[in-house]
Amino acid sequence: KGEVQVMKALRKDVQHMGATGLGSWRQLTSGGHAILMMTRMCQYISLYGFTTYPQSSKVKDQYGGRQKKSRSGNFWHDWTGESYAWRLLHAAGIASICS
C-alpha cells in the first residue's frame, strides 16, 4: 500500500512538471514495487535494466517481442509513467540508472 501511494505522488509530480503520455494505471509492476520499497530501506539505489528511454516497437522486450500483446502487462501497467517516475528519482539524487 505504501508503494502505491508513493507512485501516485510521483505520477502527480511528473504531470505537474509537464510530462505527457502517461497511460492508464491499474497497478505497479513488480519491479516498480521493488524500486519503491528499496527507496524506503536505502539512502541511495542503483537501477540496472529499468529503461527510461522510449521503447521501439521493433525491439524485443521481456514478453519475447510478440506482435499482439493481449496478455501482456500493457493493460495493467503504465510503462511510460514508471519510466518518468524513475527519471524523477534520478533527478532527485535518490537513484542512478544504467539502462
Side-chain angles (χ1 to χ4, degrees), residues 56-94:
S56 168
S57 60
K58 297 177 183 178
V59 177
K60 289 187 177 185
D61 59 13
Q62 70 273 23
Y63 295 106
R66 292 183 289 192
Q67 292 298 317
K68 185 176 180 182
K69 298 183 179 183
S70 61
R71 299 198 68 162
S72 76
N74 290 339
F75 179 74
W76 293 97
H77 308 305
D78 178 19
W79 305 106
T80 302
E82 286 194 13
S83 174
Y84 280 128
W86 311 152
R87 291 183 214 180
L88 190 57
L89 291 177
H90 177 75
I94 297 170

Side-chain angles (χ1 to χ4, degrees), residues 34-72:
I35 290 170
L36 295 177
M37 181 183 67
M38 287 295 119
T39 62
R40 297 173 116 190
M41 299 171 68
C42 306
Q43 291 180 337
Y44 187 78
I45 59 174
S46 297
L47 305 176
Y48 177 79
F50 291 88
T51 187
T52 58
Y53 298 102
Q55 294 291 335
S56 168
S57 60
K58 297 177 183 178
V59 177
K60 289 187 177 185
D61 59 13
Q62 70 273 23
Y63 295 106
R66 292 183 289 192
Q67 292 298 317
K68 185 176 180 182
K69 298 183 179 183
S70 61
R71 299 198 68 162
S72 76

Side-chain angles (χ1 to χ4, degrees), residues 2-24:
E3 288 83 17
V4 171
Q5 297 305 320
V6 170
M7 185 52 132
K8 285 181 180 180
L10 286 169
R11 287 175 57 87
K12 190 174 183 179
D13 288 345
V14 297
Q15 286 175 325
H16 283 137
M17 294 167 65
T20 59
L22 275 71
S24 61

